[in-house]
Structure formats: C-alpha cells, structure tokens
Amino acid sequence: MSGFERSETDEFARGARALVVYPELPGRASVGPESRLAEAEGLALAIGLNVVRKKHYRVRSPRAVTLLGGGQVEEIAEMGRELEADLLIVDASLTAIQQRNLEERTGLKTIDRTGLILEIFGERAATAEGRLQVELAHLDYQAGRLVRSWTHLERQRGGFGFLGGPGETQIEADRRMIRDRMARLRRELEEVKRTRSLHRARRKRAPWPVIALVGYTNAGKSTLFNKLTRATVLAEDMLFATLDPTMRQIALPGVEKAILSDTVGFVSDLPTQLIAAFRATLEEVISADIVVHVRDISHPETDAQRDDVLQILRDLGVIDDADAGNQPRMVELWNKMDLLEGDRLDELTGISRRDDTVLMISAETGEGVDVFKAHLSALIAKGNDVRTVKLRADDGAALAWLHGRGTVTHQIVDGETVSVDVSLSRQLWGQFEKQFTQLEA
C-alpha cells in the first residue's frame, strides 16, 4: 500500500470485538437474512475479528444520513457499549457520509461490506499481480471517502515560489496523488494483461483445452482442484481461502493434456471495484474452453448463490444470453453430496441422473469425481474429428500414441496392417501427421 493510504481496520488487531449488522433494504435481498448474516460473520472471521453479536434490521425507508433508522442506530450504540465492541460492520454499501455519521452516533469504528472484503483481499493477495489489483480497488474505494478518512484536510499547502496563491488544499493533493497512483497501477496491470494474453495465445496454439472452476466462495473449488491435480492449494472452511488464480495440468481419460484453473470465489454484492480490478485475473475464465460452476448443494441458499455467480459471469462477459453459441461450454457441478442425507439426497441424486447437464460429486470423499472427469473428456471430444487410420501392425509407437491421446472406437487387424477409428482434436491430428507415416487406403 502506498504512503497516503489508510487501511479501514488498521486501528484494530486480530481479535477486535465486532458487531455485525445486516440492513435488509427493500427489493434488494438475493439471499435470506440468516444466510446473509452468517456470510457477513464469515467475512469478519476471515480477517481475524471476534464477532460478539450479529443482528438483522429491516429497513423500510433507507436514510440518506445513516441508512438505518434513528431507533436502530441508538440500539446499535447501546449494544456496542454493553458488549464493549470496537467495530461495527454494516453488511451493505455505505456512502462516506453515512459511514461518518454512524461512527459519530454509535461511538464505534464503522466499515461496510465493500471495505471488509477489500481488507480480506489485501491480506490474502500473495502474488505481485494480486497486490496490484487489491491496491487499485482499495484506492478506487477510498477516493470518495477522503472527507471521512483524513483529519488534516482543512489545511492548505502553499504554492511554489512567489507566484503561488493560497495553494491546493490537502484533500485536493491527496486526491491528485490517488489519481496518479491509480493511473500507474492501471498501466502495470495492463502489462500483466498483455503477458497473460501472450501466455493464453501460446496455450491456444498448443492442443490443450483450458477448464476454469468458478463458484460461490467456500463451494469447494480448491478441494476439487487439489483432488484433480494433486496440488496443495489452500482449501479451508473459510471465505476467500483462495484469492490468486492457480493453473495446473490435469489428466483426463483419452485427453493428452488439459489445464485446470482455480479462481477466486464469488459472493453476493461483490464490490464493483473488485469486479473491475480483477477482470485481468478472471479473463482466464472468459477465455476458457469449459467453465465448471461448482455449487455447494448442501447450502440452504444454494439457488440464490447460483444466481449471484451467474450474474457476475454475465457482468464479466463470460455468459451472453443473446449469443449462447459463442461462449465457453458450462458444466454445473453439485458438490458436497456427502453432507446430504435422506430424502434430500435421494431427490437431488434423481435430478442429477435425469439431467445430463448436472453432475453430483463430493470433492472431499472423491465420490463422483471419476464420472466428472469422464464427462469433461466427452465435452472435449465433441470438438474432435473422427478419422480412420491405416498403419503397419508392428507400428507400436503410432498405435500407442493414438490410444494415449485420442479415443479409439474401433480397431481391426488384417494381416500386416491395422485400421483404427480414432477421435482427436485438429491440433493433435496435425501432430500425428508430422510424427507418423500412414499407409495408403
């Protein structure tokens, strides 16, 4: 972070006592209040805060001054004094004025949902690219909050030499510094984007399909990623356990090589600053051949979570409802079936068997993973060409190559020759023709 930045939670160490409040605004709820409060608590725990109480308020008419009603604000202030809280987390977007007024009226340091998510991302970013993206999003968020965040803004700084008038106010100087820093960050991220484009173009030239895992945070993407690739990506029961994207080779039946990408988990009301800042990272999803939407099917709000993920994918341009044929193939994966039981398990298993667009697995136990891998192979094979190849019967290298990289559907040995019906991608057919000699039909 740059020198003029100020972290929202820098006054509090891990373990600070926090109140979590969810104001349910008219017509804006995508998930129920209980699930929303549980998610907000999970976000607070992810940054090491100690949630001493969480409460849901129904807000019929949002106040421009405090968002919440006057009586609600007084109740929060009383709770804060009673529980000796340090911090108020409002699970909604607050304006700078609302944030400042809530602090004054409750006596509690206040952050909103966007500020909290930015703090988590700032702590978790492990790569240089991730840190650039987080800092850009943080500056974008802070640019409109200088009035609240700085206490020295009434000062003025004198001009240069004898011609300097009253000079620019400190707030103007800070805003200019933020604008300059954001411009530099965007240039650096543009370089990252170009590098990614080169890598992506290189992969496109190679015969390796790219499969991207997306889904709501804590849906089990990283656990599945580790199961499929034998990697050791952090996979914990914690929101935003994965932040920076990870790509690994994956072995699929009948496929020489494929690339699997694990991405950051989504949440409802993902801050617009993060959608914009992380577009470079999520372009791996945009350019993927197959997008696997991993869902926590055991979660009580799984349908609402699905809707939130699909809306973010639309915002990113991954899904275009008007151009369904020109976008990555989608697979919906119902994860955590090991947490289901009884009638619910029977019901969802029956739906999965009847609907070939839905697969059901447990990434934790491995149940259903082999079926999922076979389904990915079948999807990849749909774009393949099926040809009949005639070879010498003793050309073991060519036969092994075809069996190892393609799908052999038929093989006939006739004396010293063998005819093989095999499905391969166009790129692999090009490789085969360069390496091996076929007999004339």
Side-chain angles (χ1 to χ4, degrees):
M1 296 292 178
S2 55
F4 53 82
E5 287 185 67
R6 178 179 181 277
S7 173
E8 292 293 337
T9 56
D10 59 4
E11 295 177 11
F12 301 99
R14 285 181 169 273
R17 300 169 65 82
L19 298 179
V20 175
V21 168
Y22 169 54
E24 185 182 350
L25 304 176
R28 297 187 186 178
S30 60
V31 299
E34 290 185 3
S35 293
R36 187 64 183 252
L37 271 177
E39 183 176 288
E41 182 180 21
L43 291 170
L45 294 175
I47 201 70
L49 299 173
N50 175 25
V51 177
V52 293
R53 183 167 298 177
K54 54 185 189 289
K55 190 168 177 63
H56 156 244
Y57 289 101
R58 191 180 301 276
V59 180
R60 292 186 175 84
S61 180
R63 304 286 183 89
V65 177
T66 55
L67 184 67
L68 295 148
Q72 294 169 337
V73 174
E74 290 179 10
E75 183 179 342
I76 292 169
E78 179 59 33
M79 273 195 301
R81 289 189 292 270
E82 175 188 334
L83 298 170
E84 298 181 344
D86 307 303
L87 180 67
L88 170 63
I89 298 171
V90 180
D91 191 32
S93 293
L94 297 175
T95 66
I97 298 301
Q98 289 170 341
Q99 202 166 0
R100 182 185 65 188
N101 289 337
L102 282 173
E103 287 187 340
E104 291 177 350
R105 299 186 186 190
T106 63
L108 297 171
K109 172 76 175 174
T110 301
I111 60 173
D112 65 358
R113 182 181 179 84
T114 301
L116 183 60
I117 292 175
L118 286 171
E119 290 295 333
I120 298 170
F121 274 47
E123 184 178 89
R124 298 281 169 77
T127 65
E129 177 189 352
R131 287 190 289 271
L132 286 174
Q133 291 165 330
V134 169
E135 186 177 353
L136 179 60
H138 216 299
L139 288 171
D140 188 23
Y141 174 71
Q142 286 187 356
R145 284 170 158 71
L146 292 180
V147 172
R148 188 194 64 80
S149 296
W150 271 259
T151 59
H152 59 271
L153 301 179
E154 70 280 359
R155 298 201 310 266
Q156 287 189 324
R157 190 168 61 189
F160 294 104
F162 297 103
L163 299 179
E168 62 180 349
T169 61
Q170 187 65 49
I171 189 171
E172 290 168 347
D174 285 339
R175 281 176 176 159
R176 177 174 51 76
M177 291 173 69
I178 285 180
R179 284 196 303 270
D180 292 346
R181 178 62 179 159
M182 288 176 70
R184 287 195 296 273
L185 288 172
R186 288 193 177 101
R187 286 195 295 271
E188 291 180 50
L189 281 172
E190 198 60 35
E191 287 297 320
V192 171
K193 183 177 178 180
R194 276 195 285 271
T195 302
R196 281 186 174 276
S197 297
L198 291 173
H199 292 167
R200 200 175 297 117
R202 204 172 295 129
R203 287 198 302 270
K204 287 295 183 185
R205 288 195 297 271
W208 304 326
V210 176
I211 303 160
L213 302 179
V214 301
Y216 212 81
T217 189
N218 223 23
K221 297 184 306 303
S222 295
T223 301
L224 176 62
F225 184 86
N226 291 340
K227 181 76 69 175
L228 293 172
T229 65
R230 298 180 182 177
T232 55
V233 172
L234 177 63
E236 295 185 6
D237 184 15
M238 177 173 61
L239 299 184
F240 295 124
T242 302
L243 178 56
D244 291 293
T246 307
M247 304 188 78
R248 293 286 189 277
Q249 180 177 335
I250 176 176
L252 295 173
V255 178
E256 179 192 20
K257 183 176 179 181
I259 304 297
L260 187 67
S261 173
D262 186 20
T263 60
V264 62
F266 299 151
V267 293
S268 58
D269 292 341
L270 188 68
T272 55
Q273 293 96 334
L274 283 178
I275 292 178
F278 278 77
R279 187 174 294 273
T281 299
L282 294 172
E283 279 178 355
E284 295 295 347
V285 179
I286 296 172
S287 65
D289 299 286
I290 299 172
V291 174
V292 179
H293 178 189
V294 183
R295 291 177 56 187
D296 177 359
I297 201 63
S298 69
H299 196 282
E301 299 285 353
T302 183
D303 290 337
Q305 291 182 351
R306 174 201 60 204
D307 294 342
D308 286 329
V309 170
L310 293 178
Q311 186 55 53
I312 292 172
L313 292 177
R314 289 187 187 97
D315 293 341
L316 289 168
V318 177
I319 297 177
D320 184 352
D321 295 330
D323 188 18
N326 188 27
Q327 58 193 27
R329 286 164 288 182
M330 294 283 296
V331 176
E332 188 164 300
L333 199 61
W334 291 356
N335 189 28
K336 303 192 182 182
M337 63 180 295
D338 55 303
L339 300 182
L340 300 174
E341 55 187 21
D343 293 342
R344 178 65 171 164
L345 176 60
D346 294 339
E347 175 194 359
L348 293 177
T349 302
I351 293 173
S352 175
R353 286 173 179 167
R354 292 190 299 271
D355 187 346
D356 60 4
T357 65
V358 172
L359 296 173
M360 202 163 173
I361 70 160
S362 168
E364 185 67 33
T365 66
E367 186 175 358
V369 171
D370 287 340
V371 174
F372 168 58
K373 291 168 68 174
H375 184 73
L376 289 178
S377 296
L379 280 178
I380 293 169
K382 278 186 178 180
N384 291 354
D385 293 336
V386 179
R387 301 182 191 177
T388 299
V389 178
K390 195 170 185 180
L391 301 167
R392 295 194 320 274
D394 61 355
D395 193 350
L399 286 170
W401 195 98
L402 291 174
H403 279 275
R405 291 165 176 78
T407 303
V408 176
T409 57
H410 195 59
Q411 180 171 314
I412 299 177
V413 179
D414 182 11
E416 296 182 354
T417 64
V418 58
S419 294
V420 182
D421 294 340
V422 61
S423 170
L424 287 173
S425 68
R426 292 180 183 179
Q427 294 93 334
L428 282 175
W429 276 120
Q431 287 187 15
F432 178 79
E433 290 168 349
K434 287 180 181 178
Q435 293 182 45
F436 301 101
T437 302
Q438 303 179 51
L439 300 178
E440 293 185 5

